[in-house]
Amino acid sequence: IMKNEDVIVRKSFDFAAKIVKLHKYLVEEKNETVLSEQILQCGTSIGLNINEAKSAVSGNISAAKLSDAAKEARKTEYWLNLLKDSEFITEKMHYSLSKDCSDILVLIKNILLTSKEKFNEN
């Protein structure tokens, strides 16, 4: 489980940096401010929730924060799809960001399942 936690912290931080760059691109190149603010908020909060989960004082709080991270990742996927379908980002940009977001969601789910299994063993 610790290995997955280290990987997810790094991946979610790298993803947040990409989202910040996407926000900058949308504002400066596409003159888009409403959708870009939405994706900036949820795309960067994934990693924030993961970091909070890692430093949580109890397993329940950690699981809640990881669940919040998953919720923000699903919101991010929604905004990415909308940005693609409204032609603010290319298919290639969408694919890359969506894949990263999906990978993070899989890691979150795996950590939550592993944590639940360990809890049930005790």
Side-chain angles (χ1 to χ4, degrees):
I1 189 169
M2 195 55 156
K3 186 178 179 191
N4 274 347
E5 287 177 3
D6 292 339
V7 169
I8 199 168
V9 168
R10 182 80 243 156
K11 279 187 173 282
S12 62
F13 182 85
D14 291 345
F15 182 73
K18 288 180 182 180
I19 292 295
V20 170
K21 290 175 186 173
L22 173 62
H23 175 266
K24 183 177 178 183
Y25 164 80
L26 290 169
V27 170
E28 293 178 0
E29 301 294 324
K30 298 292 189 174
N31 198 29
E32 199 304 306
T33 56
V34 177
L35 299 177
S36 64
E37 288 297 321
Q38 293 291 330
I39 199 157
L40 179 67
Q41 193 281 322
C42 58
T44 57
S45 67
I46 298 166
L48 178 62
N49 280 299
I50 288 167
N51 273 305
E52 289 179 3
K54 191 169 179 166
S55 63
V57 293
S58 77
N60 287 342
I61 293 172
S62 181
K65 286 296 177 182
L66 285 172
S67 294
D68 289 346
K71 178 181 168 185
E72 294 301 319
R74 288 188 295 275
K75 285 186 198 175
T76 301
E77 287 178 330
Y78 173 85
W79 293 117
L80 286 170
N81 290 334
L82 187 58
L83 286 165
K84 176 187 62 93
D85 288 353
S86 57
E87 300 177 357
F88 280 106
I89 61 174
T90 65
E91 293 275 343
K92 184 178 178 182
M93 292 167 77
H94 176 266
Y95 176 80
S96 175
L97 291 165
S98 289
K99 178 160 182 5
D100 290 346
C101 195
S102 293
D103 290 348
I104 291 167
L105 262 172
V106 167
L107 286 169
I108 292 169
K109 288 176 186 175
N110 287 341
I111 292 168
L112 285 170
L113 284 173
T114 304
S115 298
K116 190 174 185 179
E117 288 168 6
K118 284 188 178 220
F119 178 78
N120 288 336
E121 288 173 3
N122 294 331

